[in-house]
Amino acid sequence: MESNQRFYERRAAAERTAAMRALTPQAKDWHAKLASDFAERARACERVRATA
């Protein structure tokens, strides 16, 4: 089973790719926001693992 951190990292990468390929500015902004949100979640998981 995949860890939460790995899932969030994978989703962040996928959303960054989607942002680069987006055709409209709104879609680009939305995917960039999602990428940022998933990257932050991955960092939060990393911090939890470091303190455990």
Side-chain angles (χ1 to χ4, degrees), residues 3-29:
S3 71
N4 286 343
Q5 181 182 2
R6 181 67 190 122
F7 171 78
Y8 291 140
E9 289 171 347
R10 187 169 48 81
R11 282 298 310 272
E15 291 299 338
R16 282 191 296 272
T17 300
M20 289 188 295
R21 294 179 177 166
L23 299 178
T24 66
Q26 294 87 356
K28 188 176 296 267
D29 291 345

Side-chain angles (χ1 to χ4, degrees), residues 21-50:
R21 294 179 177 166
L23 299 178
T24 66
Q26 294 87 356
K28 188 176 296 267
D29 291 345
W30 175 248
H31 288 293
K33 180 193 179 313
L34 288 175
S36 176
D37 291 349
F38 282 119
E40 177 54 38
R41 290 178 187 183
R43 283 190 296 273
C45 288
E46 190 173 302
R47 286 190 298 267
V48 168
R49 280 180 80 192

